[in-house]
Amino acid sequence: MAEAPVLEDTERTTGRVALRKNIAAAMALSGAVRSTLGPKGLDKLLLDDQGRTLVTNDGVTVLETARVEHPVARMLIDASSAQDRAARDGTTSAVVIAAELLRNAWHLVLQGVHPSTIVRGYRMAETEALAHLEGLAFEGSDEDLVTAVRSSLAGKSSQGVQERLSFLAMEAARCVERTVDGITEVDPTRVSTVVAVGRPAIDSEIIEGLVMQKRRAHPDMVRTVENGTIALLDAGIERRKMRGDVTFQATSPEVLDDLRRREAERLLEDVETIAAAGVNVLAVSGAIDDEAHRRLLDVGIQAFRRVSSSNLDLLALATGATVLHHVDALQAESCGQVLESQSHMLGDLHHWTVRGQGPAATLIARGSGEEIADETSRCFDDALGVAAHLRKDRRLLVGGGASHVHLARHLRRFAEATPGREQLAIDAFADALEVIPRALAENAGLDPIDALLDVTAAQAEAREGAERIGLHLDRREPADLGKEGVLEPLNVIKPTVSGATEAAAAVLRIDDVLWARLEAQIPDDIQAQIDAMGERDA
Ligand code: ADP
Ligand code: MG
């Protein structure tokens, strides 16, 4: 049988050629984000096909926005997204280390080491690396934790705002912390955000409870309800709408009146059902028609309409209520409890704050303009992700390449003690980790080779605290970065190492790909390196 026509646009590559192309794709991708790494990293201006722009210095945002279709590049992007989900930080590092692992693997392949031997060596190095990192980590004080959150914001927004947001992120994480079956749980999805334009970003604040930009359905409704019962309805209390193209022929005006009256009665019945369940706070996703909100007012219910379904979900978490799709399903058990439900003004906008038994917090993200306020909210999200992890596990490492250099030195000793060709792979793994201090130096305008040599020498000479010595990017020399507050959660660094190993191993295992004719966009300088690789291959 002839080749299936679906393969017409693809070219089958095998063995080394495939591997070389795959590694080239990985390096091209890493080249796209490497310059964003660290506090001196450059911002990228992203432009989408509709001409919208986004300025960011976040690796995963760059990668996810660039619609890369190359299968191997996708694997690396997936590794970065996985890192984002797992730790909310370290996304650039994961990709950069993965690509470096691949590049070093290529050099070994050229020397005749089989990819599967390299994968075995990498796996051994990974296990040793994770254990070594655990040994280096220390429990952070409360102050250290805020500092570590701040390190994760390096390069994003101004110093003052970074400090404020880190503090707020730890506050928010504390608000939503609870203990379930003896295990500490910090769920960042319980923290919502309200964007408020008009004051500087540094005036952002955390409010305990759920705050929404909402006004009550009628200004005469009570402002504050304490210890009340809340019902959540993903529907409206409104007249039914005719669906489709329905023509309605009334034979007399009475029929029409009758119909209207019955619809109005139905609305009032709905309100009775709600009141009968003992409800005094009501949130609905749809509209509330006039007759209904007058009656709600009469029976003393504080009601809010057009509440988004995401807010209904948050309200459900905070109050223990169930979101219903129909009033008829309402029972006492489906209602939740509010400690306080308050309708108030924040600046010149109406807001509704709900506090229930379930933990919740809201960031009031401020900024002089909408873009700044949005940026504040994005930064806070990153900070919160890191803060949430840190409340569960306070172990920290020193960043700025300090831990990576220490780890690389350790792995080289470990390699010496390992027999067989795997030893070469472990050495290559150690070299790959040093891409972090090299890229940090490069982005700060320093010579990466000299910088790395200086840090390695300073660590080797130090009597104690060698693992804290990294590259001081302003002083341009090795220094104790722990003192400078460059701290990173163990649980950010560990997944970058394991995720990068995972991705590299997956690429090394592919020796036959159907190569769709979609060449990755490769920056010039990297193309030169790849060409050089090809020459050596020949
Ligand atoms: P990622 O997406 O990998 O988190 P970042 O751009 O956030 O990438 O850069 C993180 C790296 O920058 C980490 O290795 C971290 O230790 C380092 N870093 C952060 N602040 C400093 C600093 N003040 N001096 C040196 N390195 C720093
Ligand atoms: Mg980061």
Side-chain angles (χ1 to χ4, degrees), residues 487-522:
L487 300 175
E488 288 196 85
L490 173 65
N491 282 332
V492 166
I493 297 197
K494 259 173 50 178
T496 61
V497 173
S498 46
T501 313
E502 190 69 47
V507 175
L508 288 171
R509 272 198 218 98
I510 308 174
D511 59 1
D512 181 0
V513 286
L514 288 177
W515 186 268
R517 291 181 197 245
L518 291 163
E519 294 281 339
Q521 284 260 326
I522 301 179

Side-chain angles (χ1 to χ4, degrees), residues 465-488:
E467 74 281 4
R468 302 164 66 90
I469 299 178
L471 189 62
H472 197 298
L473 299 177
D474 291 320
R475 296 216 306 258
R476 303 172 152 251
E477 60 182 17
D480 181 338
L481 293 187
K483 279 196 196 128
E484 305 290 326
V486 185
L487 300 175
E488 288 196 85

Side-chain angles (χ1 to χ4, degrees), residues 33 36-41 57-60 83 88-95 150-156 397-402 404 436-437 440 470-474 481 484-488 492-493 496:
V33 292
T36 69
L37 188 80
K40 309 274 181 185
N57 128 324
D58 187 30
V60 75
Q83 173 77 23
R88 291 304 285 276
D89 195 20
T91 55
T92 314
S93 306
V95 169
R150 208 191 62 217
S151 293
S152 78
L153 295 182
K156 295 173 192 155
L397 287 167
V398 179
H404 291 93
I436 297 295
L440 287 171
L471 189 62
H472 197 298
L473 299 177
D474 291 320
L481 293 187
E484 305 290 326
V486 185
L487 300 175
E488 288 196 85
V492 166
I493 297 197
T496 61

